[in-house]
Amino acid sequence: MTENTISQHGQWSSRFAFILAATGSAVGLGNIWKFPYIVGENGGGAFVLIYLFCVIGVGIPIMMAEIMLGRRGRHSPINTMERLTAEAKADPNWHYLGWMGVIAGFLILAYYSVIAGWSLAYIIKAFFGDFINQDAIQIAQLYEQFIASPIQQIFWHTIFMAFTMNIVGRGVNAGLEQSARFLIPALFSLMFLLVAYAMTTGSYFQGLHFLFSVDFSKLSSDAFLIALGQAFFSLGLGMGSIMIYGAYLPKNISIARTSVIIAGADTLVALLAGIVIFPIVFENGLAPSEGPGLIFKILPIAFGQMTGGWLIGVFFFILLFFAALTSAVALIEPAVAWLIEHQQISRKTACIWAGLAAWLLGIGVALSFNIWSTFKLFDKNLFGLLDYLTSNLMLPIGGFCIAIFAGWIMNSEHSRSELALAKPEFYLLWKQLVCYIAPVAVFCVFLHVVGVI
Ligand code: PHE
């Protein structure tokens, strides 16, 4: 069918370009904002170990499956699923999997952009020395005042969205690929710089000890499920981002090898974020189990008091911004690609429509922190609702279906030739993982989030 064609949207210019772009999609707020605080809440090293098992045993096989489906379909997730369904003579309803991905990306971007906007605002705050010599109460006040201001929330969200759509509008090579070529090396450099700083703090080893010393008695009872859910979000699986990136992947590039590299880089950044954050937390006598406020409410206290904290603070929030930007472009690309294919409009026009729609929904999210905070559905404001709906329901369902489709529905000859693994045993191993292990594990996460287990 589609064996030798190139996607109408273009293709990555090299294996390295794909690795950078896909690493950009994976490395995001999930690594720098979320990973450290859930490690903090769930007992440190033992949790990290379980997380690593989840990435290797479930994350990588599903990532391979998703990239493979994308490369074989060569279109937006909706049209890819339609083609693959026809090829496999499967139930046409499978194409709703593509729809769910496009919608999930769009919904995630709406709130992701608001939080990413905070990173922009905090770069400015750090730069102008707003944290200097402020105590915990003043820093908390700064944060509360900031999120209580509808104008500021909308302003930063708008700026972030403009950055995102500007990149996506330039297309696969001049936009997604070019930006990743600059942002990902910059992100890693900043990260290593911050690690070097963390090494100079007196609490460096205490931080390392917290992250890497395995004590199973500290593990929370649902740590496995939390770890698996996080692996999913962090690797950016289950919603078509990595599928559309796979659609731009040249035929001769090994899916297995690149998946391992991408998952490895994503995990490395999450661990480095922990290596940076925990020594700063301990050095300043703060609690690692602070929760979601760890980055915006806790770290600035430290930045305001430590030597060199001004510069470190600015770098830290720039790092967060870069990480969020390369994920945001991946979140909206499936919708943009679909609009181009379906409406036969130019990429720029598609970006304007998709960007405007996500921006509008994002305004609702921005206001859900202040003037609309009392509007609640299922006891959640719009931000909480979108986060729950996407990360807890749509991504696991998407990942589950991708594993089932790749493992059970797609013709084995097709998946074998797409993956082109070096040894037959590797293919068998992958097949076992996507047919049995991954679906069962993801199903358990799903049961957990809906409260059954
Ligand atoms: N992986 C990104 C993060 O860690 C979020 C993301 C989810 C990106 C799904 C793309 C697809 O923040």
Side-chain angles (χ1 to χ4, degrees), residues 23-32 105 108 112 230-242 266 323-324 326-328 330-331 395:
T23 301
S25 149
V27 172
L29 297 173
N31 305 58
I32 301 169
I108 297 176
Y112 206 83
Q230 168 65 11
F232 235 76
F233 184 82
S234 185
L235 296 172
L237 303 178
M239 49 82 33
S241 271
I242 200 75
D266 185 63
T326 50
S327 293
L331 284 164
L395 298 192

Side-chain angles (χ1 to χ4, degrees), residues 39 42-50 52 204-219 271 275 278 282:
V39 170
N42 290 284
F47 180 84
V48 172
L49 192 66
I50 292 185
L52 293 181
Y204 178 62
F205 288 103
Q206 196 184 346
L208 283 191
H209 188 258
F210 180 76
L211 258 184
F212 295 116
S213 77
V214 177
D215 175 358
F216 281 104
S217 68
K218 286 203 200 133
L219 213 54
L271 292 174
I275 293 177
F278 290 119
F282 291 126

Side-chain angles (χ1 to χ4, degrees), residues 54-275:
C54 292
V55 168
I56 295 168
V58 182
I60 293 178
I62 293 190
M63 183 182 278
M64 288 170 61
E66 200 172 331
I67 297 176
M68 174 190 76
L69 297 184
R71 185 163 75 179
R72 195 157 181 89
R74 290 274 186 234
H75 284 76
S76 67
I78 296 172
N79 287 333
T80 281
M81 286 314 298
E82 223 162 63
R83 284 162 177 256
L84 296 183
T85 305
E87 185 185 53
K89 300 192 178 54
D91 186 328
N93 283 322
W94 272 103
H95 88 279
Y96 286 114
L97 177 56
W99 271 105
M100 194 174 67
V102 169
I103 294 171
F106 172 78
L107 297 179
I108 297 176
L109 181 62
Y111 75 80
Y112 206 83
S113 165
V114 175
I115 309 290
W118 297 1
S119 67
L120 279 170
Y122 269 64
I123 296 172
I124 305 293
K125 287 185 198 303
F127 183 80
F128 283 107
D130 289 4
F131 311 139
I132 292 174
N133 292 329
Q134 302 282 302
D135 61 21
I137 298 176
Q138 288 163 319
I139 294 285
Q141 258 169 7
L142 193 81
Y143 171 79
E144 305 297 344
Q145 271 165 10
F146 170 63
I147 65 166
S149 158
I151 301 288
Q152 290 199 53
Q153 291 302 302
I154 293 175
F155 177 76
W156 293 112
H157 158 57
T158 307
I159 302 276
F160 183 80
M161 208 58 157
F163 270 113
T164 305
M165 298 324 294
N166 183 2
I167 295 177
V168 181
R170 289 166 196 264
V172 177
N173 299 108
L176 306 179
E177 183 174 318
Q178 254 339 90
S179 62
R181 275 187 198 278
F182 166 70
L183 294 172
I184 298 299
L187 185 145
F188 273 90
S189 313
L190 283 172
M191 201 63 166
F192 286 118
L193 209 79
L194 291 171
V195 171
Y197 173 81
M199 289 171 92
T200 66
T201 64
S203 303
Y204 178 62
F205 288 103
Q206 196 184 346
L208 283 191
H209 188 258
F210 180 76
L211 258 184
F212 295 116
S213 77
V214 177
D215 175 358
F216 281 104
S217 68
K218 286 203 200 133
L219 213 54
S220 61
S221 60
D222 45 10
F224 172 71
L225 301 171
I226 297 177
L228 193 54
Q230 168 65 11
F232 235 76
F233 184 82
S234 185
L235 296 172
L237 303 178
M239 49 82 33
S241 271
I242 200 75
M243 194 187 279
I244 189 90
Y245 278 25
Y248 307 151
L249 187 64
K251 182 89 187 122
N252 55 354
I253 292 173
S254 156
I255 291 179
R257 211 169 297 154
T258 44
S259 297
V260 171
I261 296 175
I262 296 159
D266 185 63
T267 308
L268 178 69
V269 172
L271 292 174
L272 290 177
I275 293 177

Side-chain angles (χ1 to χ4, degrees), residues 439-452:
V440 170
V442 178
F443 193 60
C444 290
V445 172
F446 183 66
L447 292 181
H448 172 69
V449 292
V450 295
V452 178

Side-chain angles (χ1 to χ4, degrees), residues 131-137 139 197-198 200-204 206-207 275-288 290 294 297-310 312-313:
F131 311 139
I132 292 174
N133 292 329
Q134 302 282 302
D135 61 21
I137 298 176
I139 294 285
Y197 173 81
T200 66
T201 64
S203 303
Y204 178 62
Q206 196 184 346
I275 293 177
V276 169
I277 290 171
F278 290 119
I280 298 180
V281 166
F282 291 126
E283 183 73 4
N284 292 275
L286 306 166
E290 173 58 37
L294 192 65
K297 267 174 156 171
I298 297 296
L299 281 187
I301 309 174
F303 294 147
Q305 312 212 327
M306 62 205 201
T307 23
W310 175 81
I312 299 297

